[in-house]
Amino acid sequence: MARHGGRGWYGRVIAAAVGVTAMAAVTSVWTAQAGPVGGGQAGAGASASPSAGSAPARVSVDIAHASDHGARGVNITIDDGPDPDWTPQVLQVLRDNSVKATFCMVGTQAEAHPDLVKAVVADGHRLCNHTVSHDTTMDTKPDSYQSQQILDAERMITEASGGVRPVYYRAPGGAFTPYSRDLAASRGMRPLGWNVDTKDFERPGAAAIVATVKSEVSNGPTILFHDAGGDRSQTVAALREILPWLKQQGYSFGFPVR
């Protein structure tokens, strides 16, 4: 899995999150009060993520790639938001195509835009923990730092959603460690990888994003897009084209296995 460095937006996110380190004590209180994360899948029109009151459910530490829709299933995953400009547009494209997706949210973004987190949940999408500040060097940092990034983001996303917890954990840039995977799994968040990196964050053009999906979807079902970190108009345009195409090829849309 490639690392996605060089996005200046993350410098601002990290700066906004500097104060979060001081929340280590708060994290321990959150961990004690919140209880473990539960699993489960909601029906049509309901949230596909468990609520804060769900039963405990440790999940596998293995990095998930497969789809719960089987061999012809694909998983649309949307990273780095929510963003007030682009997340609503992505949601509309998904709605227009009757597609559910997994939104991997940065904690500070979720905290800043709780209305968008709730909108994602209301449309039946699943939530994924993408850490507090999207540090792609997390795998070089101490366990205490990794814990703060994961647990504080879990709290931020859950509070922003109104009580619906993330059920996956995607390390920024794929910077997983055995410790971070085990911690996430103990909180009911399955480590989540990807098979197709659209590289939409590089803004190669909508046609290039579409071409990448068409040529690489045979590599596996989990496709990586972004709804924040810059101008995502190309991503929105590419999704408008690629979602109907995937349906025409006989693919169905599911969630990553848990």
Side-chain angles (χ1 to χ4, degrees), residues 36-42 48-51 54-59 126 167 187-188 258:
V37 180
Q41 185 169 339
S49 297
S51 68
S54 299
R58 182 185 177 94
V59 294
R126 285 188 179 176
V167 292
R187 301 287 301 168
R258 296 196 65 245

Side-chain angles (χ1 to χ4, degrees), residues 169-184:
Y169 164 64
R170 175 173 275 167
F176 290 102
T177 65
Y179 174 81
S180 68
R181 290 191 292 113
D182 184 70
L183 176 61

Side-chain angles (χ1 to χ4, degrees), residues 47-258:
S47 168
S49 297
S51 68
S54 299
R58 182 185 177 94
V59 294
S60 172
V61 300
D62 295 334
I63 298 173
H65 294 89
S67 174
D68 63 6
H69 274 217
R72 297 296 289 178
V74 292
N75 309 317
I76 302 299
T77 64
I78 314 289
D79 282 21
D80 300 356
D83 179 273
D85 293 324
W86 304 111
T87 302
Q89 295 185 51
V90 170
L91 285 172
Q92 187 59 55
V93 175
L94 294 171
R95 199 176 298 126
D96 291 344
N97 288 275
S98 301
V99 170
K100 303 303 180 190
T102 300
F103 283 77
C104 299
M105 296 186 174
V106 173
T108 51
Q109 291 295 106
E111 189 172 61
H113 306 290
D115 55 327
L116 295 178
V117 183
K118 292 179 176 69
V120 167
V121 169
D123 275 7
H125 306 295
R126 285 188 179 176
L127 300 177
C128 171
N129 180 336
H130 205 34
T131 74
V132 172
S133 57
H134 200 282
D135 182 354
T136 59
T137 66
M138 271 187 62
D139 55 345
T140 69
K141 302 293 178 62
D143 290 354
S144 58
Y145 176 83
Q146 296 178 55
S147 175
Q148 172 260 314
Q149 285 282 312
I150 294 168
L151 295 180
D152 282 356
E154 180 192 5
R155 175 186 54 78
M156 290 172 168
I157 295 166
T158 303
E159 290 179 353
S161 72
V164 178
R165 297 186 180 191
V167 292
Y168 305 98
Y169 164 64
R170 175 173 275 167
F176 290 102
T177 65
Y179 174 81
S180 68
R181 290 191 292 113
D182 184 70
L183 176 61
S186 75
R187 301 287 301 168
M189 295 178 286
R190 178 76 183 263
L192 176 59
W194 62 83
N195 305 104
V196 180
D197 184 354
T198 65
K199 298 191 185 299
D200 60 338
F201 62 91
E202 296 179 351
R203 304 188 70 245
I209 297 168
V210 170
T212 296
V213 175
K214 289 183 176 180
S215 65
E216 296 185 15
V217 68
S218 60
N219 294 341
T222 302
I223 307 174
L224 173 60
F225 297 94
H226 297 82
D227 64 342
D231 183 339
R232 295 290 164 249
S233 55
Q234 294 178 4
T235 301
V236 173
L239 283 167
R240 286 198 186 103
E241 182 175 346
I242 204 64
L243 297 180
W245 181 86
L246 287 166
K247 288 184 179 181
Q248 292 165 8
Q249 303 307 303
Y251 290 100
S252 62
F253 297 90
F255 292 112
V257 294
R258 296 196 65 245

